[in-house]
Amino acid sequence: MNVLVIGGAGYIGIHTVKALLEAGHTAVVFDNLSTGHQEALARLPAPVPFIRGDVTRAEDLERAFKEHPVDAVMHFAAKSLVGESMQHPAAYYHNNVLGGVTLLECMRAHGVKTLIFSSTAAVYGEPEAVPIAEEHPLRPSSVYGRTKRMFEEMLEDYRRVYGLRYAALRYFNAAGADPGGALGEDHDPETHLIPIVLQAALGLREAVTIYGTDYDTPDGTCIRDYIHVSDLADAHVLALEVLSQGAGSGAYNLGNGSGFSVREVIETAERVVGRPIPVKEGPRRPGDPAVLVAGAEKARRELGWRPRWAELETIVRTAWEWHRAHPQGYRTARAGAPPLD
Ligand code: UFG
């Protein structure tokens, strides 16, 4: 199928473009490069057309739909930082909600009826029980989570009234890097635990600060369900294929179903890198739930999804291979800097 990938130059988007190409689909990447990296496209197994555009601008989207055949859309273009969303809600409503409806209207105008959407575990808020099933009430505790829930609600209305077919994929903690070494995580600023731990291991930052050691968990630190980015990518391809075969629309949790504490992640990283990593203990980060673990049976059952890199150690190892070879992210690739060690 011909897939238009909105936000396809970002972390999860580019891994999914690679998975699409490997599965025999074609892709066109549309990205405003606010957080994505054009350099990443050159590292794909085949050339992919690129359109620099913004999802909130109908005229940019129009170009993509006019210039390329589009059978389905994957939508990754969102602002996605919980803390920032609480400080700058307008930017989140503009990008994630207005951008979303602009995209849906463009799809409708061009008769494109299939959409795979990047949703998030943040739609659930503080869980009543873990693992969290898709039926769990959606009570997001951040603006970010609310914008994602709103778009999921829009998808359901577009399904009911206009016949949209969609899958909303609720990611837990995306982590790791392309096992082939071509692609990886490159955020500025970086806020996610695993890259921060590995940057501390590389001496690129003084230490990793543990945000809170007084949670009601066995070692006092937060527990999360880390899922390999290439496994997320596979789930998008499967969702596309299942939807095109006539499956019903809906939401799917994407996680491994097992939780690891911040301390366990750091210990795993120390094993992978083979040396101690400098750690500090700090206060809790506002808005962090103590435990988030996916009940991800539905994706396994209905999409036939089988995560291939489920072990935390494998996830951290692929991330380590990327970070030590690209300490400055894709900029390192451009400068051709040699790998460390
Ligand atoms: N953490 C630290 N120190 C750091 C960074 C993170 O202790 O320097 C902790 C956090 O407090 C959290 C865990 O490591 O307990 C994971 O934090 P991340 O920032 O890596 O990921 P989050 O769980 O906050 O965020 C993820 C997604 C978001 C999504 C959110 C849902 O990245 O998009 O889950 O809660 F909104």
Side-chain angles (χ1 to χ4, degrees), residues 80-82 120-123 125 142 144-145 171-174 190-197 205 207-212 215 221-224 226 260-262 266 284-285 287-290 292:
S80 63
L81 298 177
V82 170
T120 169
V123 295
S142 65
Y144 167 63
Y171 315 151
F172 281 64
N173 284 65
E190 187 52 78
T191 61
H192 295 111
L193 179 64
I194 291 176
I196 285 176
V197 168
R205 55 177 82 222
V208 50
T209 302
I210 300 179
Y211 295 147
Y215 284 96
T221 67
C222 286
I223 292 177
R224 293 289 180 275
Y226 295 89
F260 294 92
S261 72
V262 174
I266 296 170
R284 292 184 180 199
R285 184 171 67 177
D288 274 345
L292 287 176

mmCIF file of all heavy atoms in Angstrom, residues 80-82 120-123 125 142 144-145 171-174 190-197 205 207-212 215 221-224 226 260-262 266 284-285 287-290 292, ligand 1:
data_model
loop_
_atom_site.group_PDB
_atom_site.id
_atom_site.type_symbol
_atom_site.label_atom_id
_atom_site.label_comp_id
_atom_site.label_asym_id
_atom_site.label_seq_id
_atom_site.Cartn_x
_atom_site.Cartn_y
_atom_site.Cartn_z
ATOM 1 N N SER A 80 4.615 16.017 22.362
ATOM 2 C CA SER A 80 4.423 14.826 23.209
ATOM 3 C C SER A 80 5.106 14.897 24.574
ATOM 4 O O SER A 80 5.391 13.854 25.151
ATOM 5 C CB SER A 80 4.901 13.585 22.459
ATOM 6 O OG SER A 80 6.286 13.692 22.198
ATOM 7 N N LEU A 81 5.331 16.097 25.092
ATOM 8 C CA LEU A 81 5.968 16.174 26.414
ATOM 9 C C LEU A 81 4.929 16.580 27.468
ATOM 10 O O LEU A 81 4.326 17.650 27.391
ATOM 11 C CB LEU A 81 7.121 17.178 26.394
ATOM 12 C CG LEU A 81 8.257 16.822 25.419
ATOM 13 C CD1 LEU A 81 9.316 17.924 25.419
ATOM 14 C CD2 LEU A 81 8.873 15.476 25.798
ATOM 15 N N VAL A 82 4.750 15.680 28.429
ATOM 16 C CA VAL A 82 3.713 15.874 29.445
ATOM 17 C C VAL A 82 3.927 17.200 30.182
ATOM 18 O O VAL A 82 3.001 18.011 30.309
ATOM 19 C CB VAL A 82 3.734 14.684 30.441
ATOM 20 C CG1 VAL A 82 2.851 14.966 31.640
ATOM 21 C CG2 VAL A 82 3.305 13.414 29.724
ATOM 22 N N THR A 120 -1.351 7.035 23.164
ATOM 23 C CA THR A 120 -0.413 6.946 24.283
ATOM 24 C C THR A 120 -1.085 6.382 25.531
ATOM 25 O O THR A 120 -2.300 6.568 25.721
ATOM 26 C CB THR A 120 0.126 8.353 24.625
ATOM 27 O OG1 THR A 120 0.840 8.301 25.857
ATOM 28 C CG2 THR A 120 -0.985 9.368 24.776
ATOM 29 N N ALA A 121 -0.285 5.777 26.379
ATOM 30 C CA ALA A 121 -0.774 5.352 27.691
ATOM 31 C C ALA A 121 -1.223 6.536 28.527
ATOM 32 O O ALA A 121 -1.982 6.368 29.488
ATOM 33 C CB ALA A 121 0.327 4.597 28.426
ATOM 34 N N ALA A 122 -0.790 7.750 28.147
ATOM 35 C CA ALA A 122 -1.187 8.940 28.910
ATOM 36 C C ALA A 122 -2.694 9.204 28.827
ATOM 37 O O ALA A 122 -3.213 10.012 29.592
ATOM 38 C CB ALA A 122 -0.409 10.157 28.426
ATOM 39 N N VAL A 123 -3.419 8.519 27.927
ATOM 40 C CA VAL A 123 -4.882 8.722 27.896
ATOM 41 C C VAL A 123 -5.552 8.131 29.136
ATOM 42 O O VAL A 123 -6.661 8.515 29.478
ATOM 43 C CB VAL A 123 -5.566 8.124 26.627
ATOM 44 C CG1 VAL A 123 -5.100 8.842 25.363
ATOM 45 C CG2 VAL A 123 -5.365 6.614 26.519
ATOM 46 N N GLY A 125 -4.364 8.170 32.401
ATOM 47 C CA GLY A 125 -4.138 8.869 33.671
ATOM 48 C C GLY A 125 -3.664 7.901 34.737
ATOM 49 O O GLY A 125 -3.065 6.858 34.437
ATOM 50 N N SER A 142 -2.903 14.920 32.081
ATOM 51 C CA SER A 142 -2.136 16.023 31.488
ATOM 52 C C SER A 142 -2.868 16.545 30.260
ATOM 53 O O SER A 142 -3.711 15.858 29.662
ATOM 54 C CB SER A 142 -0.753 15.526 31.060
ATOM 55 O OG SER A 142 -0.877 14.582 30.023
ATOM 56 N N TYR A 144 -1.407 16.949 27.465
ATOM 57 C CA TYR A 144 -0.964 16.049 26.397
ATOM 58 C C TYR A 144 -1.924 14.864 26.260
ATOM 59 O O TYR A 144 -2.434 14.574 25.168
ATOM 60 C CB TYR A 144 0.462 15.568 26.702
ATOM 61 C CG TYR A 144 0.907 14.404 25.857
ATOM 62 C CD1 TYR A 144 1.023 14.527 24.476
ATOM 63 C CD2 TYR A 144 1.213 13.169 26.444
ATOM 64 C CE1 TYR A 144 1.425 13.455 23.703
ATOM 65 C CE2 TYR A 144 1.613 12.104 25.674
ATOM 66 C CZ TYR A 144 1.716 12.241 24.307
ATOM 67 O OH TYR A 144 2.107 11.182 23.540
ATOM 68 N N GLY A 145 -2.179 14.188 27.372
ATOM 69 C CA GLY A 145 -3.075 13.022 27.341
ATOM 70 C C GLY A 145 -4.476 13.407 26.890
ATOM 71 O O GLY A 145 -5.128 12.663 26.154
ATOM 72 N N TYR A 171 0.780 3.681 22.910
ATOM 73 C CA TYR A 171 2.121 3.234 23.281
ATOM 74 C C TYR A 171 2.338 3.379 24.774
ATOM 75 O O TYR A 171 1.964 4.397 25.356
ATOM 76 C CB TYR A 171 3.227 4.078 22.636
ATOM 77 C CG TYR A 171 3.094 4.405 21.182
ATOM 78 C CD1 TYR A 171 3.650 5.590 20.706
ATOM 79 C CD2 TYR A 171 2.456 3.569 20.279
ATOM 80 C CE1 TYR A 171 3.575 5.932 19.375
ATOM 81 C CE2 TYR A 171 2.379 3.908 18.941
ATOM 82 C CZ TYR A 171 2.929 5.092 18.489
ATOM 83 O OH TYR A 171 2.854 5.438 17.170
ATOM 84 N N PHE A 172 3.055 2.433 25.341
ATOM 85 C CA PHE A 172 3.579 2.619 26.692
ATOM 86 C C PHE A 172 4.945 3.300 26.521
ATOM 87 O O PHE A 172 5.024 4.324 25.850
ATOM 88 C CB PHE A 172 3.502 1.314 27.483
ATOM 89 C CG PHE A 172 2.072 1.111 27.979
ATOM 90 C CD1 PHE A 172 1.028 0.936 27.075
ATOM 91 C CD2 PHE A 172 1.759 1.231 29.326
ATOM 92 C CE1 PHE A 172 -0.306 0.868 27.501
ATOM 93 C CE2 PHE A 172 0.436 1.155 29.766
ATOM 94 C CZ PHE A 172 -0.595 0.973 28.859
ATOM 95 N N ASN A 173 6.047 2.801 27.061
ATOM 96 C CA ASN A 173 7.288 3.598 26.970
ATOM 97 C C ASN A 173 8.158 3.141 25.809
ATOM 98 O O ASN A 173 8.877 2.145 25.919
ATOM 99 C CB ASN A 173 8.046 3.522 28.293
ATOM 100 C CG ASN A 173 7.402 4.401 29.350
ATOM 101 O OD1 ASN A 173 6.267 4.143 29.751
ATOM 102 N ND2 ASN A 173 8.089 5.439 29.763
ATOM 103 N N ALA A 174 8.096 3.889 24.719
ATOM 104 C CA ALA A 174 8.896 3.569 23.532
ATOM 105 C C ALA A 174 10.375 3.725 23.871
ATOM 106 O O ALA A 174 10.778 4.720 24.488
ATOM 107 C CB ALA A 174 8.525 4.516 22.398
ATOM 108 N N GLU A 190 16.416 16.055 25.614
ATOM 109 C CA GLU A 190 16.036 14.668 25.898
ATOM 110 C C GLU A 190 15.388 14.621 27.282
ATOM 111 O O GLU A 190 15.897 15.220 28.225
ATOM 112 C CB GLU A 190 17.281 13.760 25.868
ATOM 113 C CG GLU A 190 16.968 12.291 25.976
ATOM 114 C CD GLU A 190 15.933 11.836 24.949
ATOM 115 O OE1 GLU A 190 16.272 11.652 23.761
ATOM 116 O OE2 GLU A 190 14.754 11.659 25.353
ATOM 117 N N THR A 191 14.240 13.957 27.354
ATOM 118 C CA THR A 191 13.574 13.846 28.659
ATOM 119 C C THR A 191 13.399 12.393 29.073
ATOM 120 O O THR A 191 13.011 12.117 30.202
ATOM 121 C CB THR A 191 12.164 14.486 28.608
ATOM 122 O OG1 THR A 191 11.388 13.765 27.627
ATOM 123 C CG2 THR A 191 12.217 15.953 28.234
ATOM 124 N N HIS A 192 13.643 11.443 28.152
ATOM 125 C CA HIS A 192 13.300 10.057 28.428
ATOM 126 C C HIS A 192 14.413 9.329 29.168
ATOM 127 O O HIS A 192 15.599 9.603 28.973
ATOM 128 C CB HIS A 192 12.965 9.330 27.124
ATOM 129 C CG HIS A 192 11.744 9.890 26.473
ATOM 130 N ND1 HIS A 192 11.783 10.592 25.292
ATOM 131 C CD2 HIS A 192 10.461 9.889 26.870
ATOM 132 C CE1 HIS A 192 10.563 10.984 24.983
ATOM 133 N NE2 HIS A 192 9.737 10.574 25.925
ATOM 134 N N LEU A 193 13.982 8.377 29.991
ATOM 135 C CA LEU A 193 14.916 7.756 30.930
ATOM 136 C C LEU A 193 16.092 7.047 30.251
ATOM 137 O O LEU A 193 17.247 7.305 30.593
ATOM 138 C CB LEU A 193 14.150 6.759 31.830
ATOM 139 C CG LEU A 193 15.036 6.031 32.833
ATOM 140 C CD1 LEU A 193 15.650 6.997 33.838
ATOM 141 C CD2 LEU A 193 14.230 4.945 33.563
ATOM 142 N N ILE A 194 15.824 6.145 29.323
ATOM 143 C CA ILE A 194 16.913 5.298 28.805
ATOM 144 C C ILE A 194 17.976 6.130 28.090
ATOM 145 O O ILE A 194 19.168 5.983 28.390
ATOM 146 C CB ILE A 194 16.344 4.118 27.976
ATOM 147 C CG1 ILE A 194 15.632 3.153 28.943
ATOM 148 C CG2 ILE A 194 17.456 3.406 27.186
ATOM 149 C CD1 ILE A 194 14.932 1.967 28.309
ATOM 150 N N PRO A 195 17.631 7.053 27.173
ATOM 151 C CA PRO A 195 18.704 7.869 26.583
ATOM 152 C C PRO A 195 19.460 8.692 27.618
ATOM 153 O O PRO A 195 20.683 8.857 27.493
ATOM 154 C CB PRO A 195 17.983 8.767 25.576
ATOM 155 C CG PRO A 195 16.547 8.469 25.680
ATOM 156 C CD PRO A 195 16.329 7.261 26.527
ATOM 157 N N ILE A 196 18.761 9.179 28.631
ATOM 158 C CA ILE A 196 19.455 9.986 29.657
ATOM 159 C C ILE A 196 20.454 9.109 30.418
ATOM 160 O O ILE A 196 21.598 9.503 30.656
ATOM 161 C CB ILE A 196 18.422 10.650 30.597
ATOM 162 C CG1 ILE A 196 17.775 11.823 29.841
ATOM 163 C CG2 ILE A 196 19.070 11.119 31.901
ATOM 164 C CD1 ILE A 196 16.664 12.523 30.589
ATOM 165 N N VAL A 197 20.050 7.890 30.768
ATOM 166 C CA VAL A 197 20.954 6.972 31.468
ATOM 167 C C VAL A 197 22.187 6.701 30.591
ATOM 168 O O VAL A 197 23.331 6.711 31.076
ATOM 169 C CB VAL A 197 20.214 5.644 31.797
ATOM 170 C CG1 VAL A 197 21.177 4.577 32.261
ATOM 171 C CG2 VAL A 197 19.125 5.888 32.832
ATOM 172 N N ARG A 205 26.434 13.710 30.134
ATOM 173 C CA ARG A 205 25.830 14.460 31.239
ATOM 174 C C ARG A 205 26.402 13.899 32.530
ATOM 175 O O ARG A 205 26.881 12.760 32.559
ATOM 176 C CB ARG A 205 24.313 14.469 31.199
ATOM 177 C CG ARG A 205 23.646 13.126 31.158
ATOM 178 C CD ARG A 205 22.128 13.280 31.198
ATOM 179 N NE ARG A 205 21.540 13.574 29.900
ATOM 180 C CZ ARG A 205 20.569 14.465 29.718
ATOM 181 N NH1 ARG A 205 20.079 15.149 30.726
ATOM 182 N NH2 ARG A 205 20.080 14.669 28.509
ATOM 183 N N ALA A 207 25.147 13.008 35.440
ATOM 184 C CA ALA A 207 24.514 11.864 36.113
ATOM 185 C C ALA A 207 23.087 11.754 35.616
ATOM 186 O O ALA A 207 22.568 12.668 34.983
ATOM 187 C CB ALA A 207 24.510 12.095 37.623
ATOM 188 N N VAL A 208 22.438 10.625 35.938
ATOM 189 C CA VAL A 208 20.991 10.535 35.755
ATOM 190 C C VAL A 208 20.369 10.792 37.122
ATOM 191 O O VAL A 208 20.830 10.243 38.127
ATOM 192 C CB VAL A 208 20.555 9.161 35.181
ATOM 193 C CG1 VAL A 208 21.147 7.996 35.935
ATOM 194 C CG2 VAL A 208 19.039 9.055 35.144
ATOM 195 N N THR A 209 19.338 11.633 37.126
ATOM 196 C CA THR A 209 18.628 11.899 38.384
ATOM 197 C C THR A 209 17.387 11.021 38.431
ATOM 198 O O THR A 209 16.587 11.035 37.487
ATOM 199 C CB THR A 209 18.219 13.386 38.469
ATOM 200 O OG1 THR A 209 19.414 14.170 38.368
ATOM 201 C CG2 THR A 209 17.513 13.695 39.777
ATOM 202 N N ILE A 210 17.248 10.264 39.511
ATOM 203 C CA ILE A 210 16.031 9.462 39.699
ATOM 204 C C ILE A 210 14.951 10.390 40.246
ATOM 205 O O ILE A 210 15.130 10.997 41.312
ATOM 206 C CB ILE A 210 16.277 8.294 40.680
ATOM 207 C CG1 ILE A 210 17.369 7.367 40.144
ATOM 208 C CG2 ILE A 210 14.981 7.538 40.929
ATOM 209 C CD1 ILE A 210 17.699 6.197 41.077
ATOM 210 N N TYR A 211 13.840 10.484 39.497
ATOM 211 C CA TYR A 211 12.754 11.369 39.924
ATOM 212 C C TYR A 211 11.846 10.655 40.920
ATOM 213 O O TYR A 211 10.834 10.088 40.548
ATOM 214 C CB TYR A 211 11.933 11.819 38.720
ATOM 215 C CG TYR A 211 12.678 12.668 37.724
ATOM 216 C CD1 TYR A 211 12.371 12.584 36.361
ATOM 217 C CD2 TYR A 211 13.663 13.571 38.119
ATOM 218 C CE1 TYR A 211 13.026 13.376 35.433
ATOM 219 C CE2 TYR A 211 14.323 14.365 37.192
ATOM 220 C CZ TYR A 211 14.004 14.267 35.856
ATOM 221 O OH TYR A 211 14.645 15.051 34.932
ATOM 222 N N GLY A 212 12.233 10.684 42.183
ATOM 223 C CA GLY A 212 11.382 10.138 43.238
ATOM 224 C C GLY A 212 11.797 8.745 43.647
ATOM 225 O O GLY A 212 11.923 7.847 42.799
ATOM 226 N N TYR A 215 8.022 6.278 46.001
ATOM 227 C CA TYR A 215 6.762 5.742 45.439
ATOM 228 C C TYR A 215 6.409 4.429 46.135
ATOM 229 O O TYR A 215 7.294 3.751 46.690
ATOM 230 C CB TYR A 215 6.895 5.506 43.933
ATOM 231 C CG TYR A 215 6.835 6.774 43.128
ATOM 232 C CD1 TYR A 215 7.999 7.426 42.724
ATOM 233 C CD2 TYR A 215 5.604 7.326 42.753
ATOM 234 C CE1 TYR A 215 7.944 8.595 41.971
ATOM 235 C CE2 TYR A 215 5.545 8.492 42.003
ATOM 236 C CZ TYR A 215 6.714 9.126 41.624
ATOM 237 O OH TYR A 215 6.648 10.277 40.884
ATOM 238 N N THR A 221 10.917 3.447 43.313
ATOM 239 C CA THR A 221 10.987 4.235 42.070
ATOM 240 C C THR A 221 9.882 3.789 41.106
ATOM 241 O O THR A 221 9.333 2.689 41.239
ATOM 242 C CB THR A 221 12.375 4.126 41.397
ATOM 243 O OG1 THR A 221 12.589 2.791 40.914
ATOM 244 C CG2 THR A 221 13.491 4.490 42.383
ATOM 245 N N CYS A 222 9.571 4.654 40.144
ATOM 246 C CA CYS A 222 8.429 4.405 39.239
ATOM 247 C C CYS A 222 8.669 3.188 38.351
ATOM 248 O O CYS A 222 9.786 2.950 37.888
ATOM 249 C CB CYS A 222 8.230 5.586 38.300
ATOM 250 S SG CYS A 222 7.526 7.011 39.072
ATOM 251 N N ILE A 223 7.581 2.506 38.052
ATOM 252 C CA ILE A 223 7.628 1.318 37.187
ATOM 253 C C ILE A 223 6.949 1.629 35.856
ATOM 254 O O ILE A 223 5.854 2.205 35.823
ATOM 255 C CB ILE A 223 6.942 0.137 37.903
ATOM 256 C CG1 ILE A 223 7.809 -0.259 39.121
ATOM 257 C CG2 ILE A 223 6.710 -1.031 36.958
ATOM 258 C CD1 ILE A 223 7.220 -1.356 39.969
ATOM 259 N N ARG A 224 7.630 1.245 34.770
ATOM 260 C CA ARG A 224 7.099 1.482 33.425
ATOM 261 C C ARG A 224 7.268 0.227 32.578
ATOM 262 O O ARG A 224 8.101 -0.639 32.859
ATOM 263 C CB ARG A 224 7.875 2.616 32.723
ATOM 264 C CG ARG A 224 7.678 3.981 33.340
ATOM 265 C CD ARG A 224 6.269 4.508 33.060
ATOM 266 N NE ARG A 224 6.053 5.825 33.631
ATOM 267 C CZ ARG A 224 5.663 6.051 34.899
ATOM 268 N NH1 ARG A 224 5.453 5.035 35.720
ATOM 269 N NH2 ARG A 224 5.472 7.283 35.321
ATOM 270 N N TYR A 226 8.507 -0.856 29.145
ATOM 271 C CA TYR A 226 9.337 -0.374 28.029
ATOM 272 C C TYR A 226 9.123 -1.296 26.825
ATOM 273 O O TYR A 226 9.173 -2.523 26.957
ATOM 274 C CB TYR A 226 10.815 -0.329 28.451
ATOM 275 C CG TYR A 226 11.020 0.696 29.544
ATOM 276 C CD1 TYR A 226 10.886 0.353 30.889
ATOM 277 C CD2 TYR A 226 11.254 2.032 29.222
ATOM 278 C CE1 TYR A 226 11.007 1.307 31.895
ATOM 279 C CE2 TYR A 226 11.376 2.997 30.220
ATOM 280 C CZ TYR A 226 11.258 2.626 31.548
ATOM 281 O OH TYR A 226 11.365 3.575 32.536
ATOM 282 N N PHE A 260 9.276 -2.405 34.789
ATOM 283 C CA PHE A 260 10.611 -2.294 35.392
ATOM 284 C C PHE A 260 10.729 -0.937 36.067
ATOM 285 O O PHE A 260 10.262 0.074 35.528
ATOM 286 C CB PHE A 260 11.700 -2.444 34.322
ATOM 287 C CG PHE A 260 11.722 -3.823 33.737
ATOM 288 C CD1 PHE A 260 10.979 -4.112 32.598
ATOM 289 C CD2 PHE A 260 12.434 -4.843 34.351
ATOM 290 C CE1 PHE A 260 10.955 -5.398 32.073
ATOM 291 C CE2 PHE A 260 12.422 -6.135 33.828
ATOM 292 C CZ PHE A 260 11.683 -6.408 32.689
ATOM 293 N N SER A 261 11.369 -0.949 37.238
ATOM 294 C CA SER A 261 11.530 0.304 37.977
ATOM 295 C C SER A 261 12.679 1.110 37.374
ATOM 296 O O SER A 261 13.522 0.571 36.628
ATOM 297 C CB SER A 261 11.816 0.005 39.445
ATOM 298 O OG SER A 261 13.128 -0.512 39.569
ATOM 299 N N VAL A 262 12.729 2.387 37.754
ATOM 300 C CA VAL A 262 13.830 3.243 37.278
ATOM 301 C C VAL A 262 15.165 2.627 37.714
ATOM 302 O O VAL A 262 16.115 2.552 36.926
ATOM 303 C CB VAL A 262 13.666 4.682 37.824
ATOM 304 C CG1 VAL A 262 14.877 5.537 37.464
ATOM 305 C CG2 VAL A 262 12.383 5.313 37.280
ATOM 306 N N ILE A 266 18.361 1.320 35.335
ATOM 307 C CA ILE A 266 19.756 1.771 35.495
ATOM 308 C C ILE A 266 20.675 0.551 35.690
ATOM 309 O O ILE A 266 21.747 0.472 35.072
ATOM 310 C CB ILE A 266 19.870 2.777 36.665
ATOM 311 C CG1 ILE A 266 19.059 4.037 36.335
ATOM 312 C CG2 ILE A 266 21.330 3.131 36.938
ATOM 313 C CD1 ILE A 266 18.889 5.018 37.496
ATOM 314 N N ARG A 284 10.177 13.837 43.153
ATOM 315 C CA ARG A 284 9.268 13.317 42.119
ATOM 316 C C ARG A 284 9.080 14.351 41.009
ATOM 317 O O ARG A 284 9.127 15.550 41.270
ATOM 318 C CB ARG A 284 7.882 13.050 42.724
ATOM 319 C CG ARG A 284 7.857 11.908 43.709
ATOM 320 C CD ARG A 284 6.416 11.693 44.161
ATOM 321 N NE ARG A 284 6.337 10.578 45.120
ATOM 322 C CZ ARG A 284 5.211 9.929 45.402
ATOM 323 N NH1 ARG A 284 4.068 10.279 44.820
ATOM 324 N NH2 ARG A 284 5.216 8.933 46.260
ATOM 325 N N ARG A 285 8.843 13.869 39.790
ATOM 326 C CA ARG A 285 8.482 14.758 38.684
ATOM 327 C C ARG A 285 6.952 14.850 38.684
ATOM 328 O O ARG A 285 6.272 13.810 38.636
ATOM 329 C CB ARG A 285 8.985 14.143 37.374
ATOM 330 C CG ARG A 285 8.761 14.994 36.156
ATOM 331 C CD ARG A 285 9.475 14.441 34.932
ATOM 332 N NE ARG A 285 8.940 13.176 34.466
ATOM 333 C CZ ARG A 285 9.369 12.523 33.375
ATOM 334 N NH1 ARG A 285 10.360 13.039 32.661
ATOM 335 N NH2 ARG A 285 8.838 11.378 33.022
ATOM 336 N N GLY A 287 3.176 14.721 38.029
ATOM 337 C CA GLY A 287 2.366 14.062 37.003
ATOM 338 C C GLY A 287 2.783 12.644 36.670
ATOM 339 O O GLY A 287 2.137 11.996 35.848
ATOM 340 N N ASP A 288 3.868 12.140 37.283
ATOM 341 C CA ASP A 288 4.296 10.760 36.981
ATOM 342 C C ASP A 288 3.486 9.759 37.810
ATOM 343 O O ASP A 288 3.592 9.742 39.034
ATOM 344 C CB ASP A 288 5.777 10.575 37.344
ATOM 345 C CG ASP A 288 6.717 11.001 36.226
ATOM 346 O OD1 ASP A 288 6.259 11.168 35.090
ATOM 347 O OD2 ASP A 288 7.920 11.148 36.518
ATOM 348 N N PRO A 289 2.692 8.887 37.166
ATOM 349 C CA PRO A 289 2.046 7.808 37.929
ATOM 350 C C PRO A 289 3.103 6.815 38.430
ATOM 351 O O PRO A 289 4.163 6.670 37.810
ATOM 352 C CB PRO A 289 1.127 7.128 36.905
ATOM 353 C CG PRO A 289 1.105 8.018 35.709
ATOM 354 C CD PRO A 289 2.348 8.847 35.744
ATOM 355 N N ALA A 290 2.813 6.138 39.556
ATOM 356 C CA ALA A 290 3.794 5.205 40.135
ATOM 357 C C ALA A 290 4.044 4.023 39.197
ATOM 358 O O ALA A 290 5.193 3.626 38.990
ATOM 359 C CB ALA A 290 3.295 4.707 41.488
ATOM 360 N N LEU A 292 2.885 2.061 35.442
ATOM 361 C CA LEU A 292 2.128 1.957 34.184
ATOM 362 C C LEU A 292 2.582 0.683 33.473
ATOM 363 O O LEU A 292 3.748 0.593 33.066
ATOM 364 C CB LEU A 292 2.407 3.154 33.269
ATOM 365 C CG LEU A 292 1.802 4.510 33.634
ATOM 366 C CD1 LEU A 292 2.277 5.582 32.654
ATOM 367 C CD2 LEU A 292 0.273 4.443 33.642
HETATM 368 N N1 UFG B 1 12.845 9.338 34.915
HETATM 369 C C1 UFG B 1 13.846 9.583 35.856
HETATM 370 N N2 UFG B 1 14.856 10.415 35.487
HETATM 371 C C2 UFG B 1 14.951 10.980 34.258
HETATM 372 C C3 UFG B 1 13.938 10.721 33.306
HETATM 373 C C4 UFG B 1 12.894 9.893 33.669
HETATM 374 O O1 UFG B 1 13.805 9.087 36.979
HETATM 375 O O2 UFG B 1 15.891 11.745 34.016
HETATM 376 C C5 UFG B 1 11.743 8.428 35.287
HETATM 377 C C6 UFG B 1 10.375 9.083 35.184
HETATM 378 O O3 UFG B 1 10.053 9.717 36.387
HETATM 379 C C7 UFG B 1 9.499 7.873 34.875
HETATM 380 C C8 UFG B 1 10.407 6.936 34.100
HETATM 381 O O4 UFG B 1 11.742 7.377 34.361
HETATM 382 O O5 UFG B 1 9.132 7.247 36.052
HETATM 383 C C9 UFG B 1 10.184 6.995 32.602
HETATM 384 O O6 UFG B 1 10.191 8.370 32.207
HETATM 385 P P1 UFG B 1 10.187 8.821 30.689
HETATM 386 O O7 UFG B 1 10.256 10.316 30.676
HETATM 387 O O8 UFG B 1 11.210 8.052 29.945
HETATM 388 O O9 UFG B 1 8.777 8.328 30.171
HETATM 389 P P2 UFG B 1 7.330 8.669 30.743
HETATM 390 O O10 UFG B 1 6.858 7.427 31.436
HETATM 391 O O11 UFG B 1 7.238 9.915 31.504
HETATM 392 O O12 UFG B 1 6.606 9.028 29.385
HETATM 393 C C10 UFG B 1 6.015 8.121 28.557
HETATM 394 C C11 UFG B 1 5.941 8.703 27.156
HETATM 395 C C12 UFG B 1 4.973 9.857 27.125
HETATM 396 C C13 UFG B 1 3.674 9.455 27.744
HETATM 397 C C14 UFG B 1 3.890 8.931 29.121
HETATM 398 C C15 UFG B 1 2.594 8.464 29.749
HETATM 399 O O13 UFG B 1 7.206 9.118 26.711
HETATM 400 O O14 UFG B 1 4.755 10.255 25.793
HETATM 401 O O15 UFG B 1 4.758 7.825 29.066
HETATM 402 O O16 UFG B 1 2.649 8.660 31.121
HETATM 403 F F1 UFG B 1 2.850 10.515 27.834
#
